[in-house]
Amino acid sequence: MNKQQLLTTLELEDPFKTFRPKPDPTFFGWNGDTPIFGNLINEIKPKLVVEVGSWMGQSSINMASNIKAQGLSNDSCLLCFDTWLGSKEHWADKNLRKHLHLRNGYPTFFEDFMTNVLNNDVEDVLMPIPLTSVSGAELLKEYGIKADLIYVDGSHEFRDVYNDLEAFWQVLSPGAILFGDDWDWSGVRGAVLAFCAEIGCPVAPQGINWILRKRF
């Protein structure tokens, strides 16, 4: 489905319609600019890509740019789920905390994400929804929406990652792909291996990334 079809299905307005970009947005990320995103989009030609954890938008823009570059805009879009509240690491480490752009004690870096998307001209294929990961999966189930490619890059904690895998596996189309990064984090790697053992699905590590393919 394209972005307008997604908005119609979810009965939502485009958040970019009246958004005013920041003059000096922050833009950086971790491992979001690697070729795996474009390679997987090229391989499966997804109708709907879902991202779990978007931060400042590096991986989001990478995937959305590939959707457009590969001529899929008319039939495909990217849906981003994130609270844009930061993780435990961002709140515990004062050097990372500054990137939350706290205003009256509340994170405001969602504005950076939105501005970065606009600055890269991919707002026409990208839709952000500020929800927790599991609530995002439940929203898709509520509307009967299935995804063809899901990128999981939220919490690094074992239980959180396992819950994300369990929740989004249920909204992944047969033959589709769920992947993520941070394979070097013990919590992430442990959760992926535990989930794969539970459902009987092999995992394919690929450097910092890992890939699961849903057979049916």
Side-chain angles (χ1 to χ4, degrees):
M1 63 175 66
N2 60 36
K3 180 177 177 178
Q4 187 53 55
Q5 290 168 333
L6 178 66
L7 291 172
T8 300
T9 299
L10 295 176
E11 301 175 280
L12 292 173
E13 292 187 356
D14 190 339
F16 293 99
K17 186 176 180 179
T18 58
F19 177 73
R20 298 182 64 181
K22 291 180 65 175
D24 56 347
T26 301
F27 183 41
F28 72 95
W30 301 273
N31 311 316
D33 55 355
T34 58
I36 189 172
F37 300 94
N39 292 342
L40 291 178
I41 289 172
N42 182 59
E43 176 187 340
I44 65 175
K45 304 294 191 296
K47 297 294 185 183
L48 177 64
V49 182
V50 172
E51 179 177 59
V52 182
S54 299
W55 187 232
M56 299 286 184
Q58 186 186 65
S59 54
S60 319
I61 291 165
N62 188 349
M63 288 190 282
S65 296
N66 270 283
I67 287 173
K68 297 186 71 169
Q70 297 182 34
L72 304 175
S73 303
N74 290 336
D75 301 304
S76 307
C77 67
L78 169 64
L79 175 57
C80 300
F81 288 120
D82 198 318
T83 61
W84 284 278
L85 296 177
S87 66
K88 181 188 72 176
E89 290 87 0
H90 299 114
W91 285 93
D93 186 329
K94 65 179 181 181
N95 291 319
L96 290 176
R97 192 183 306 154
K98 64 184 179 183
H99 297 303
L100 299 177
H101 299 168
L102 297 177
R103 185 184 303 146
N104 301 321
Y106 198 86
T108 63
F109 69 96
F110 178 65
E111 298 171 12
D112 295 83
F113 170 85
M114 294 282 283
T115 302
N116 292 332
V117 170
L118 285 171
N119 286 346
N120 284 273
D121 298 317
V122 292
E123 72 278 4
D124 55 328
V125 295
L126 187 155
M127 174 63 185
I129 297 184
L131 275 178
T132 63
S133 53
V134 174
S135 293
E138 290 298 317
L139 178 69
L140 296 183
K141 288 169 62 178
E142 179 76 18
Y143 282 88
I145 297 174
K146 293 284 188 178
D148 305 303
L149 182 64
I150 299 178
Y151 177 58
V152 176
D153 186 27
S155 168
H156 299 120
E157 301 297 319
F158 176 95
R159 178 47 57 185
D160 293 338
V161 177
Y162 190 93
N163 289 342
D164 287 347
L165 297 176
E166 186 175 50
F168 281 95
W169 192 255
Q170 298 176 48
V171 296
L172 189 67
S173 299
I177 291 175
L178 187 153
F179 73 116
D181 71 347
D182 298 315
W183 185 248
D184 56 338
W185 284 70
S186 59
V188 174
R189 185 171 60 254
V192 173
L193 292 173
F195 180 73
C196 288
E198 177 73 21
I199 66 171
C201 176
V203 58
Q206 192 175 113
I208 197 72
N209 299 107
W210 47 270
I211 299 172
L212 309 181
R213 296 176 184 269
K214 191 170 188 179
R215 298 170 183 168
F216 51 82

